[in-house]
Amino acid sequence: MRRLVMWDIDYTLLRGGGVAARAWKAAFTELTGVAWRDTPVFGGRTDLDICAEVFASHGVTDCTPERFFARYVQIVHEVKHEFAEQGALMPGVREVLTRLGDDPRVVQTLVTGNVPEVAAAKVAAFGLAGSFDAEVGGYGTDDSVRATLVRRSLDRAQAKYGEAFRPVVVGDTVHDVTAALANGALAIGVATGSTGADDLVAAGAHVVLPDLSDPNAVVAALTDEDRVAGRSSAGPPAGG
């Protein structure tokens, strides 16, 4: 059975340099006429979830998420060159994606809180678009709950390829870990964001890596037969 490796984007694969956050604020103030006051925690959450919080905290009742996302995506496309200029790939990402892409046992996709168009712009800015089957991903417009994104991705992959997959989720937040566990997926935590390794371990990650800079360790964690089959999930996390 092949693995479906579901990659989070922000602070797992890359840093976007704050470009999307600035576009978010610009779209919000333009559409609502309300001054930006409260910045929510974005990490690990879906854009639908964040949108609901932002509208509520600013008292906005006359703008739909669909209308907001349409303008947000337009602004992101206008400034998408800034992702590579102001952001950066996380260590080891390109080699890991290349090695997994050469492995016939693996299909790689994205499971991210970003809306699809913004997810595509971020990975394209660093030349990574060809690494993923974006059609079978899970995105921030699918649902407010992160775990549902994992389920949607798995369902899409199984429908497209006509086969069952062993799901593997890679992310830097507790939300990524809990979403993986809710779907019986192998949870790989990467301590490259604001969540420390100890917190990823406490959330139940099967493996915790300090970063992706050791491609051998990363590929081994993602493709280990026992771990992916769920037979050694109780073992001690690596790097944690």
Side-chain angles (χ1 to χ4, degrees), residues 7 9 13-14 89 93-94 97-98 108-110 116-135 139:
W7 288 97
I9 294 178
L13 294 174
L14 57 88
L89 276 183
V93 165
R94 201 175 300 279
L97 294 180
T98 298
Q108 298 186 90
T109 191
L110 300 168
E117 298 88 346
V118 174
K122 287 181 177 181
V123 297
F126 294 93
L128 302 180
S131 299
F132 311 105
D133 183 348
E135 289 184 350
Y139 301 98

Side-chain angles (χ1 to χ4, degrees), residues 144-166:
S144 295
V145 179
R146 184 91 185 197
T148 306
L149 276 55
V150 175
R151 172 49 53 186
R152 294 282 176 84
S153 178
L154 188 57
D155 288 346
R156 287 166 178 154
Q158 291 174 342
K160 178 175 179 176
Y161 291 96
E163 62 185 277
F165 285 90
R166 290 173 176 159

